[in-house]
Amino acid sequence: MNTDLSILHLVKEASFVVQFVMFILLAASLASWTFIFSKRKELNQAISITDDFEDEFWSGLGLAELYKKMSSDRFDPEGIEKIFLAGYREFARMRQKGEVEPVVQVESAQRAMRIELQRELDRLDETLPFLATVGSTSPYIGLFGTVWGIMNSFRALGEIKNATLANVAPGISEALIATAIGLFAAIPAVIAYNRFSTRLDRLAGRYELFIDEFVVLLQRQAHSK
C-alpha cells in the first residue's frame, strides 16, 4: 500500500472526476487572478484620470478651450473625460440650432452624459460578475469533488475485510484537496470583488457629482446669451 501523502502524489492518484474538478478550479483561480490584476490597474488608471481632469476642469480654463483640447486627434479621452466631451458636444450642437430653449439644451447635454456614464460603468464592471461567480461557486465545486472522492474511498473500503485508518487516509486526503483548491480560488475572488465593487461605487459617485456640477455650469452658460 502506498502511503505517500504528498499533494502532487494525491492529485496524481485521484480519480478522473476529482482531477477534472481540480483542473476547473485551478483554471478559474488563474483566470480570476488575471482579472484581479487587470481590474486593479484599470481602476487605478480611471481614478488617476478623474483626479487629473478635475484639477484641470476647476483650474479656470474655459469650457470651450477644454473641449477643444480634449477633442483633438492627439488626445485619447478616457473615463470622465468622455463624459465631459459627450455633454459639451451635445450642448454645443443644440446651441448651434439657435431656436432651442436653454433648458432643452441643458437637458439634452445631461442625457448625453448619462449615456456615456452608463457605458463607462459597464466597461469598468465587465469582469466583476466573473469574480462574483468564482467566489460563490468554487467552494461548492470543490465540495462536489470531495464528496465524490470520499464516496469512492468508502466504496473501495467495502472490498477490504480489515479496514484501518491507513486505508482511508489517502483517499480522503486526495478528496479534501478539491475543497482546499475551491477555497483557494474563492477567497481571493470574493475579497477582490468586494474591494473593486466599493471602489467602483465611489468612482461612479464622483462621476455623478461631476455631471451635476457640470450641468450647473451649462445652465449658467445657456442663460448668458
Side-chain angles (χ1 to χ4, degrees):
M1 180 183 60
N2 197 329
T3 59
D4 186 359
L5 296 181
S6 64
I7 294 179
L8 291 178
H9 176 77
L10 292 174
V11 171
K12 181 180 178 181
E13 295 299 319
S15 65
F16 172 77
V17 173
V18 177
Q19 288 180 339
F20 183 68
V21 167
M22 293 178 183
F23 173 78
I24 292 176
L25 293 173
L26 288 175
S29 179
L30 180 61
S32 65
W33 276 108
T34 301
F35 288 145
I36 286 171
F37 286 120
S38 63
K39 183 59 61 178
R40 180 176 180 273
K41 179 180 179 181
E42 190 177 27
L43 286 175
N44 286 341
Q45 183 180 9
I47 293 173
S48 177
I49 290 174
T50 301
D51 292 337
D52 294 340
F53 174 81
E54 288 182 340
D55 290 340
E56 188 170 16
F57 183 81
W58 297 110
S59 65
L61 188 66
L63 296 179
E65 186 176 353
L66 182 60
Y67 173 79
K68 182 178 180 181
K69 172 185 175 182
M70 293 190 171
S71 59
S72 64
D73 295 335
R74 295 176 297 177
F75 193 86
D76 186 21
E78 293 290 343
I80 195 173
E81 297 166 343
K82 289 184 177 180
I83 296 174
F84 165 76
L85 290 175
Y88 194 84
R89 184 184 300 114
E90 181 64 16
F91 178 75
R93 187 182 70 84
M94 297 297 289
R95 282 178 69 84
Q96 287 178 355
K97 293 184 177 181
E99 71 279 3
V100 180
E101 293 293 328
V103 64
V104 177
Q105 298 173 15
V106 175
E107 289 178 352
S108 181
Q110 188 175 24
R111 284 194 298 270
M113 286 190 287
R114 293 289 178 185
I115 293 173
E116 193 61 44
L117 168 67
Q118 191 58 52
R119 289 174 179 169
E120 180 64 16
L121 294 180
D122 288 343
R123 182 182 68 84
L124 293 174
D125 186 60
E126 190 174 6
T127 57
L128 292 187
F130 176 81
L131 294 178
T133 300
V134 172
S136 60
T137 61
S138 291
Y140 296 104
I141 296 175
L143 183 60
F144 168 76
T146 297
V147 171
W148 187 274
I150 292 177
M151 182 180 64
N152 287 337
S153 296
F154 280 107
R155 183 184 301 168
L157 284 177
E159 302 174 359
I160 302 176
K161 294 182 178 180
N162 297 319
T164 64
L165 183 60
N167 299 124
V168 181
I172 293 181
S173 297
E174 70 185 32
L176 290 175
I177 292 177
T179 297
I181 297 177
L183 294 175
F184 176 79
I187 293 174
V190 171
I191 294 175
Y193 174 80
N194 291 333
R195 173 63 174 166
F196 292 153
S197 295
T198 300
R199 296 184 70 187
L200 183 57
D201 288 343
R202 292 176 180 174
L203 186 61
R206 294 181 65 178
Y207 287 166
E208 293 275 0
L209 181 60
F210 166 73
I211 291 176
D212 292 340
E213 293 172 334
F214 190 29
V215 165
V216 173
L217 296 180
L218 292 179
Q219 287 174 339
R220 294 174 184 174
Q221 187 167 329
H223 290 85
S224 62
K225 294 182 182 181

